[in-house]
Amino acid sequence: MTITPFSFTTVSEIHVQWEGSARLGELLAERFDARNLLLVTDRGLIEAGLIAPVQAALTQAGFGVTLFDDVVADPPEAVVRACAEMARSEKIDIVLGLGGGSSLDIAKLVAVMIGSDQDLSTMYGIGNVAGARVPLALVPTTAGTGSEVTNISIITTGESTKMGVVSRQLYADFVLLDASLTVGLPQVHTAATGIDAMVHAIEAYTSKHKKNPLSDALAREALRLLGTNLITACQDGTNRAAREAMLLGATLAGQAFSNAPVAAVHALAYPLGGHYHLPHGLTNALMLGPVLRYNATAAAPLYGELADVMGVAGSGDAQARSEAFVRHIEALMDASGAPRRLRDVGVTDNSLSMLARDAMKQTRLLVNNPVEVTEDDALSLYREAF
């Protein structure tokens, strides 16, 4: 078999250590000369007591720490600009993002914005970041978005539209995976972020244009780790082995989809997040079942392979294995405790056609789907999820 040409890019270094955040100061001091650090996080993590020990470790290692804690879910441009302004006024020379996907996405953009004079509005799309950036370290506190290892930041523009900045400058210099930081995550967030990571692995594996042997290997291992440990992590949030497996799985899925991009599940999830301010992981979970069934006309052989990876019982041809895979994924989502229907989370029937219209704007994602999705198809998928 000849190999189709492909490129694979990822972050420079990943350090995996339970309670490694207590050593974050020394880990960063060993790797970077910069000492004037901006810590990007959210107030919830400060109130949960996760930030104070990290701040102490950084200070002890000789870092001056400026704290930005105004991160919100689905961050609007104004928050990104405010963070960049603070960083400039404090003459920041290294950025640390610690938190969920929103904190990491903002940290990535701010590291670029203070490294050059380019305005945020000119960065949207693929490959439009022109300048360099200051050193960047990322520490996730959820096992979900994979943002710590992607070259993507998602920002809410205007009232409800989400836009992506995709550029190699957004790959971090250093990532710490400390699964102890995910232990306090409530069950519903553990479920939604875990399913989000599974979506990343599945969509990378079936991505139409850039699927490649490296992303495939990462997606398979990610799905094995995530699928085996999701229910344990949801039912017993203190289970160290499950938490570590979920966080590593989410990161591997992030590396996969950063190179073999996601598709229709995300395209249909974004309008739900924009209009209803639902968490990103939850919107992916709500759209996954309908899109899997829709895509099976083209992706059945690949779904059959993923059924084997996940140890789904049974045998048969590609179609039978594909159907078994979809049933298995839906059973996992049912057991996770995440809401399962759009109507359960406040989405109204009369908004579905507007959502379908908005989903069509996500051309960057839809082009990767194994089956074409028209506006009518999108409306049918929303109705099925409703």
Side-chain angles (χ1 to χ4, degrees), residues 62-363:
F63 288 92
V65 182
T66 301
L67 190 65
F68 181 86
D69 63 358
D70 286 339
V71 174
V72 293
D74 304 311
E77 282 188 335
V79 172
V80 183
R81 291 184 188 280
C83 186
E85 208 166 294
M86 177 190 270
R88 285 194 189 102
S89 70
E90 296 293 332
K91 303 208 166 17
I92 294 299
D93 56 10
I94 179 169
V95 176
L96 167 64
L98 193 154
S102 297
S103 293
L104 306 187
D105 281 7
I106 290 176
K108 284 148 78 167
L109 284 174
V110 168
V112 166
M113 289 168 75
I114 61 177
S116 75
D117 297 328
Q118 187 181 3
D119 189 73
L120 175 60
S121 61
T122 65
M123 295 182 184
Y124 293 112
I126 300 173
N128 294 324
V129 173
R133 62 154 172 73
V134 301
L136 173 66
L138 299 174
V139 183
T141 58
T142 64
T145 66
S147 180
E148 66 275 6
V149 289
T150 72
N151 60 338
I152 305 161
S153 286
I154 304 296
I155 300 299
T156 304
T157 57
E159 282 301 298
S160 60
T161 309
K162 288 188 169 191
M163 298 274 282
V165 178
V166 184
S167 184
R168 67 174 51 234
Q169 287 97 322
L170 299 189
Y171 280 119
D173 298 302
F174 178 77
V175 172
L176 170 67
L177 299 184
D178 173 3
S180 74
L181 297 174
T182 69
V183 165
L185 205 62
Q187 177 181 344
V188 69
H189 295 306
T190 299
T193 53
I195 296 164
D196 182 26
M198 291 171 69
V199 172
H200 294 151
I202 295 165
E203 290 210 292
Y205 201 71
T206 57
S207 192
K208 193 170 178 180
H209 293 297
K210 293 187 176 179
K211 175 180 166 65
N212 65 77
L214 269 178
S215 66
D216 282 354
L218 290 161
R220 282 194 298 265
E221 179 62 5
L223 202 56
R224 188 189 69 77
L225 288 166
L226 295 161
T228 311
N229 291 280
L230 176 69
I231 304 308
T232 306
C234 289
Q235 291 174 351
D236 174 13
T238 61
N239 185 306
R240 173 174 168 174
R243 287 295 193 187
E244 290 192 307
M246 292 299 292
L247 185 57
L248 181 58
T251 296
L252 298 181
Q255 290 179 297
F257 90 82
S258 193
N259 288 277
V262 293
V265 179
H266 278 72
L268 272 66
Y270 281 151
L272 290 166
H275 288 285
Y276 288 99
H277 302 292
L278 297 166
H280 170 70
L282 177 57
T283 57
N284 268 340
L286 290 164
M287 295 314 302
L288 179 56
V291 175
L292 284 179
R293 281 189 293 275
Y294 177 80
N295 284 348
T297 53
L302 297 173
Y303 290 162
E305 291 170 15
L306 293 179
D308 295 343
V309 166
M310 296 184 80
V312 178
S315 57
D317 61 8
Q319 194 60 45
R321 294 300 285 151
S322 169
E323 287 166 12
F325 171 72
V326 176
R327 283 197 302 274
H328 181 74
I329 293 288
E330 295 203 297
L332 276 180
M333 292 196 288
D334 290 341
S336 75
R340 296 292 289 116
R341 306 213 67 82
L342 296 183
R343 68 168 78 96
D344 299 339
V345 294
V347 176
T348 56
D349 190 15
N350 61 0
S351 70
L352 301 183
S353 51
M354 169 195 70
L355 293 169
R357 242 189 342 270
D358 271 13
M360 290 299 102
K361 297 174 187 168
Q362 299 293 337
T363 50

